[in-house]
Amino acid sequence: MSDKVERIKCLIIGSGPAGYTAAIYAARADMKPVMYTGMEPGGQLTTTTEVDNFPGYPEGVDGPTMMVQLQQQAERFGTEVRIGMVTKVNLSDKVGGIHEVEVDNTTKIEAETVIIATGATAKYLGLPSEQKLRGGGVSACAVCDGFFYKGQDVAIVGGGDTAAEEATYLANICNKVTMLVRKGEMRASKAMQHRVENTPNLEVKYFTEVDEVLGEQVVEGLRVVNNQTGEKEEIAITGLFIAIGHKPNTDIFKGQLDMDDTGYIITHGKSTKTNKPGVFASGDVQDKEYRQAITAAGTGCMAALDAERYLATVESPEEVNA
């Protein structure tokens, strides 16, 4: 551990749309933000080939390019972007308190405010063929990528409310949707189940799991297996959507920040404030409802504004020491 301790006015943890938008606003407010990117600089969008629903890109943009541009915009106003992983935090309970953070288990930092934008990680099935075709027809966001499969046959895996909602969304734009549920019933609410049942071009296969995603460069089909009989069959599809949940990246904050049962950080009212003064959460780390780049960016803006207003209400440690 280094003996040198750096003091930062605004520390941003995470580098997706929420983190970079927070950085843009914080930098313009002269908060001199420092961002640590985490293990996946740019967040989930770096695995997305095309982004067509973010305002300001009439011709669309690929995810990695968009994140590079957001970084450049944040750096233009003075954000210091650092490659590194926050591995430990000790968050103060006091208004005006200093938050202690460790990066890569070697560097200690003190921050007057912390903006958490660590995002969430989509759960996948874990099949090698699935991982190979991520971005080539395999997606964890139907709302993000469903448009590219308009008029085509697709499949979706999952049996909860999110899967049912995304299945009916896909059914509105796709030719046929096959919903694969590994149990004999859906976990979704009765209302969502009725919606699925009443959608004519949506077929539900129960006791069914994915055995293999077929295709070399893009998804060309699916081999599924009935987990009761062992019977296998192939389905011709061009898109596979995984809707079995997300895991928020909040493990290092457990025991210090209020979270729900899944691990999403709880924020107060319409703000990004957490239960710790000077600590704010934005993006997918606190949003399990929408999970869109534009909503993440919006809460990143809110977090920076909340942090700026918080700093305006407390005396700086330098003034107190003086």
Side-chain angles (χ1 to χ4, degrees), residues 233-248:
E233 68 170 307
E234 292 188 3
I235 304 172
I237 60 167
T238 53
L240 174 64
F241 296 89
I242 312 298
I244 56 177
H246 287 72
K247 182 184 184 300

Side-chain angles (χ1 to χ4, degrees), residues 1 13 36 38-39 84-90 100-108 251-253 256:
M1 180 72 66
I13 307 175
Y36 278 94
M39 295 297 290
M85 182 79 173
V86 172
T87 49
K88 185 179 179 181
V89 297
N90 182 20
E100 301 174 347
V101 175
E102 288 181 13
V103 180
D104 296 328
N105 295 309
T106 58
T107 305
K108 187 173 182 179
D251 287 350
I252 62 170
F253 308 108
Q256 299 188 62

Side-chain angles (χ1 to χ4, degrees), residues 150-170:
K150 188 174 182 179
Q152 302 176 41
D153 292 353
V154 301
I156 184 166
V157 180
D161 277 335
T162 298
E165 184 175 351
E166 293 197 344
T168 53
Y169 167 82
L170 289 168

Side-chain angles (χ1 to χ4, degrees), residues 217-228:
Q217 301 298 323
V218 296
V219 173
E220 298 174 1
L222 202 62
R223 185 166 64 241
V224 299
V225 57
N226 183 299
N227 56 31
Q228 299 293 299

Side-chain angles (χ1 to χ4, degrees), residues 10-64:
C10 179
L11 173 66
I12 300 172
I13 307 175
S15 55
Y20 279 128
T21 305
I24 292 167
Y25 275 79
R28 285 169 58 87
D30 200 28
M31 294 166 65
K32 299 178 175 60
V34 173
M35 169 189 285
Y36 278 94
T37 61
M39 295 297 290
E40 189 178 40
Q44 293 184 70
L45 276 188
T46 58
T47 65
T48 303
T49 53
E50 291 291 336
V51 179
D52 268 354
N53 55 3
F54 197 95
Y57 293 95
E59 302 301 324
V61 62
D62 66 88

Side-chain angles (χ1 to χ4, degrees), residues 142-303:
V143 177
C144 309
D145 300 327
F147 176 81
F148 301 111
Y149 302 92
K150 188 174 182 179
Q152 302 176 41
D153 292 353
V154 301
I156 184 166
V157 180
D161 277 335
T162 298
E165 184 175 351
E166 293 197 344
T168 53
Y169 167 82
L170 289 168
N172 287 328
I173 56 178
C174 297
N175 179 58
K176 180 182 178 181
V177 179
T178 303
M179 189 172 185
L180 309 177
V181 182
R182 65 185 178 89
K183 294 185 177 181
E185 60 182 4
M186 297 173 62
R187 292 183 292 105
S189 64
K190 291 298 182 183
M192 290 305 301
Q193 291 188 46
H194 292 326
R195 187 184 301 180
V196 167
E197 292 166 356
N198 292 326
T199 303
N201 62 333
L202 203 170
E203 178 187 1
V204 182
K205 290 182 176 292
Y206 294 103
F207 295 118
T208 303
E209 299 181 38
V210 177
D211 184 61
E212 190 82 14
V213 185
L214 307 176
E216 288 301 319
Q217 301 298 323
V218 296
V219 173
E220 298 174 1
L222 202 62
R223 185 166 64 241
V224 299
V225 57
N226 183 299
N227 56 31
Q228 299 293 299
T229 66
E231 182 182 356
K232 296 182 179 181
E233 68 170 307
E234 292 188 3
I235 304 172
I237 60 167
T238 53
L240 174 64
F241 296 89
I242 312 298
I244 56 177
H246 287 72
K247 182 184 184 300
N249 302 319
T250 56
D251 287 350
I252 62 170
F253 308 108
K254 286 182 177 177
Q256 299 188 62
L257 295 180
D258 291 341
M259 303 179 186
D260 67 10
D261 293 339
T262 313
Y264 287 91
I265 296 174
I266 296 173
T267 51
H268 296 172
K270 295 182 179 180
S271 76
T272 62
K273 299 174 184 176
T274 70
N275 58 302
K276 298 287 187 180
V279 179
F280 310 91
S282 61
D284 287 8
V285 80
Q286 54 86 51
D287 170 27
K288 61 181 178 182
E289 187 70 28
Y290 301 104
R291 298 195 303 270
Q292 299 298 303
I294 187 63
T295 52
T299 56
C301 163
M302 293 165 59

